[in-house]
Amino acid sequence: MLGDILQQLSTLTLNIKQVCRLPRLSDTIPSSLPSPSPTVSASLVPSLFREPYILSGYRPIHQDWRCYLLSLFQRHNESLNVWTHLLAGPVLLLRWWVNVGALGYTFNAASLPLTVFLVSSLTYLFFSVVAHLLQSRSEHAHYFFFCLDYVGVAVYQYGCSLGHYFYTSEPAWRESCIGLLFLPGALFFGWLSCAGCCFAKSRYRRPYPVERKICQLIPTTLAYLLDISPVVHRLFTAAWVQDPGLPFHALQIASFLLSAIFFSCPVPERFFPGHCDFVGQGHQIFHLFLSLCTLFQLEALFQDYTRQRDTVVEVFGERQLWWACGSIIFLFLCCVLTALFTMKHINKTLHGKKERD
């Protein structure tokens, strides 16, 4: 009798557990959802995808698009390149929200360059994330997404120049030859850096010759030297004790120069081939310093905006502010057309290669 009761209680307890059992995460994921394939060595992917001194951690090509999206949570040699810029976006927005509350902000002509800078920063971060996450799908995807990445970089360069011109520059610098030609020059060099990168990407094949770096670095360097010129002038002429934005400007220049070094040179992986496949690549360090540069720029421009917001419309005029900031749309369209033109040429090359094979 007692045994029957215990058996019934055991059965009842088991039924209650089955009814109340919480669903597992695996039960909620459709079984048809593809999983990313394991990473492979460099010898198993086309030469286009092979990075110098990176010997493993490559994602196989021609998987389902969803596999590359889900590879966001996979360990591969692009993981940190994706996450460094993916996390930089929320950090930038958080600092924006904190600064808005602390320093005060209203959207008007005076704050327009600051807003455009934020949008341009989020644009380049987003395009970079997309490029590194999805470029392994195919050769066509590789070229397309990196041309899109170059568009984002050009937009970011011009967004920086707007903040530097309207908030950071001094009257003496604005009256110089560089100051008078600054805005149209920044627009032109922004497009030129995009065009140079697109040309280098389409023209040269791996292993990349020195000429490819020259095509990329010369336009980008010229754009940076122009964009940063009002900041450098201010650093050498203003009193640092009385200007809280100058230390942040110095930090953004230092961060950018460090990022440029790691972008140009494949270190430290050059000295440890195969040991930096997942963590420690020069490009990952480049991403980190570039994200820091953007964050320091935001802090500096907020300080400059606070100092100049009451006079910026009076000094520059509302029409110039709107025209200069609105020109970023023109730059974006020009860069998109340049990228599409480049892709048209690349598609012909890929089609001819496919016919030969």
Side-chain angles (χ1 to χ4, degrees):
M1 183 69 177
L2 181 60
D4 293 339
I5 294 174
L6 291 175
Q7 185 176 2
Q8 291 177 1
L9 288 174
S10 177
T11 303
L12 180 62
T13 302
L14 181 61
N15 290 335
I16 293 174
K17 288 182 177 179
Q18 290 177 345
V19 172
C20 299
R21 181 174 63 88
L22 293 174
R24 293 175 298 177
L25 180 61
S26 60
D27 296 334
T28 64
I29 299 177
S31 58
S32 60
L33 193 66
S35 298
S37 300
T39 58
V40 298
S41 64
S43 60
L44 297 179
V45 296
S47 60
L48 177 66
F49 302 97
R50 301 173 194 168
E51 295 294 337
Y53 313 107
I54 305 300
L55 307 183
S56 64
Y58 293 91
R59 290 167 294 173
I61 64 173
H62 299 314
Q63 298 184 79
D64 190 280
W65 281 109
R66 290 172 293 180
C67 291
Y68 297 99
L69 287 173
L70 293 174
S71 71
L72 178 66
F73 307 103
Q74 182 187 20
R75 183 173 178 263
H76 53 82
N77 57 24
E78 289 275 30
S79 295
L80 286 183
N81 287 329
V82 174
W83 279 100
T84 46
H85 278 176
L86 185 63
L87 293 177
V91 172
L92 207 64
L93 288 173
L94 177 62
R95 290 306 306 166
W96 175 273
W97 180 75
V98 170
N99 284 326
V100 163
L103 303 177
Y105 170 88
T106 53
F107 180 74
N108 51 32
S111 64
L112 190 58
L114 188 62
T115 306
V116 171
F117 168 76
L118 177 69
V119 173
S120 68
S121 300
L122 295 175
T123 299
Y124 100 81
L125 290 171
F126 175 74
F127 284 176
S128 175
V129 168
V130 171
H132 286 282
L133 187 62
L134 301 180
Q135 59 92 14
S136 296
R137 172 66 170 74
S138 64
E139 290 187 335
H140 180 272
H142 176 91
Y143 285 113
F144 175 79
F145 286 118
F146 275 113
C147 284
L148 190 66
D149 187 25
Y150 303 145
V151 173
V153 171
V155 169
Y156 169 62
Q157 288 174 341
Y158 187 66
C160 295
S161 68
L162 291 174
H164 294 161
Y165 182 79
F166 288 110
Y167 300 137
T168 309
S169 65
E170 297 285 349
W173 176 88
R174 292 195 296 270
E175 294 171 2
S176 66
C177 294
I178 296 177
L180 293 173
L181 299 174
F182 181 80
L183 288 176
L187 200 65
F188 171 74
F189 280 121
W191 170 81
L192 187 64
S193 66
C194 175
C197 290
C198 287
F199 172 78
K201 192 70 177 176
S202 64
R203 173 68 176 81
Y204 299 106
R205 300 290 180 268
R206 292 187 186 274
Y208 291 133
V210 178
E211 289 81 2
R212 181 180 184 271
K213 285 291 184 183
I214 293 175
C215 288
Q216 281 187 307
L217 291 179
I218 288 182
T220 305
T221 301
L222 291 175
Y224 180 75
L225 290 176
L226 180 64
D227 295 345
I228 205 65
S229 59
V231 176
V232 174
H233 177 269
R234 179 106 172 262
L235 287 171
F236 283 102
T237 58
W240 285 44
V241 178
Q242 301 174 358
D243 195 333
L246 290 183
F248 290 111
H249 280 303
L251 287 172
Q252 67 129 324
I253 292 176
S255 298
F256 180 85
L257 293 177
L258 287 171
S259 72
I261 291 172
F262 285 102
F263 175 81
S264 306
C265 306
V267 292
E269 63 265 29
R270 179 172 186 172
F271 305 105
F272 309 99
H275 294 278
C276 302
D277 292 352
F278 297 97
V279 180
Q281 301 171 29
H283 201 83
Q284 295 168 352
I285 303 173
F286 154 71
H287 273 214
L288 179 61
F289 278 117
L290 190 59
S291 298
L292 289 174
C293 173
T294 306
L295 183 60
F296 290 138
Q297 278 181 311
L298 180 66
E299 299 291 339
L301 289 178
F302 252 111
Q303 296 292 335
D304 293 343
Y305 163 72
T306 303
R307 182 176 57 88
Q308 300 280 13
R309 60 183 170 183
D310 295 331
T311 60
V312 64
V313 175
E314 180 182 348
V315 171
F316 297 100
E318 188 170 340
R319 178 176 295 182
Q320 185 182 15
L321 283 162
W322 282 100
W323 271 106
C325 294
S327 297
I328 199 170
I329 300 175
F330 174 73
L331 174 64
F332 177 78
L333 293 176
C334 288
C335 290
V336 167
L337 290 175
T338 302
L340 292 176
F341 179 80
T342 303
M343 284 306 304
K344 183 178 180 181
H345 171 73
I346 290 173
N347 287 337
K348 290 182 179 179
T349 303
L350 293 177
H351 183 70
K353 177 183 176 183
K354 188 176 181 180
E355 287 184 343
R356 291 192 300 270
D357 293 342

